Amino acid sequence: TVTASGGATCTPVPATANSCTVMGLANGTAYTFSVVAANAAGNGPAGTSSSVTPFTVPGAPTAVSAAPGNAQATVSWAAPADNGSPITGYTVTASNGATCTTSGTTCVVGGLANGTAYTFSVVATNAAGPGPAGTSPSVTPYTVPDAPTAVTAVPGNAQATVNWAAPA
């Protein structure tokens, strides 16, 4: 009989087996396990394991936002639940495929075209692998406009009329 410190069991285990999977454990909770062998004379003494903590992939980052800049965006988010294993990093991916990686909760994604709208997905990774993505609303990077062109001035009576071609 295999018993987890929280009471979950894996029983009966056939005498020829030397492992079993204890189900119903909570990710992020440490457990020790005892194994007791039994025969016609009764139960023997328990063998115990060291502490282990079940885990799964982290949750999706929340409150994902992006602040546009010149050909880039600064993406921020709130860390998700690690689900029993510390988060080792984050990957941010723009809708055009540009990426950045970090161990923090902010990352600057470059390689973006000014005037084009982008969304961003953020994925947290732990020892179990990458979790689901959190996504941002759309943002459009920008910079200062180019100089107006074809600037002309026509004089008048105590005035001048100035004309130009609008810049990008």
Side-chain angles (χ1 to χ4, degrees):
T1 301
V2 178
T3 304
S5 55
T9 61
C10 180
T11 184
V13 177
T16 57
N18 61 2
S19 70
C20 74
T21 301
V22 179
M23 305 297 285
L25 304 179
N27 289 326
T29 301
Y31 296 91
T32 55
F33 299 90
S34 66
V35 180
V36 174
N39 64 17
N43 291 339
T48 59
S49 73
S50 58
S51 179
V52 296
T53 303
F55 59 88
T56 189
V57 297
T62 59
V64 180
S65 64
N70 183 8
Q72 67 184 25
T74 301
V75 183
S76 302
W77 58 91
D82 67 13
N83 291 332
S85 175
I87 293 172
T88 56
Y90 296 92
T91 301
V92 180
T93 305
S95 51
N96 73 340
T99 63
C100 72
T101 58
T102 184
S103 60
T105 56
T106 300
C107 202
V108 177
V109 181
L112 307 180
N114 289 329
T116 301
Y118 297 91
T119 57
F120 301 88
S121 65
V122 181
V123 173
T125 301
N126 66 11
T135 58
S136 75
S138 177
V139 298
T140 304
Y142 58 88
T143 188
V144 297
D146 291 338
T149 59
V151 179
T152 61
V154 178
N157 182 12
Q159 66 183 20
T161 302
V162 180
N163 295 299
W164 62 89

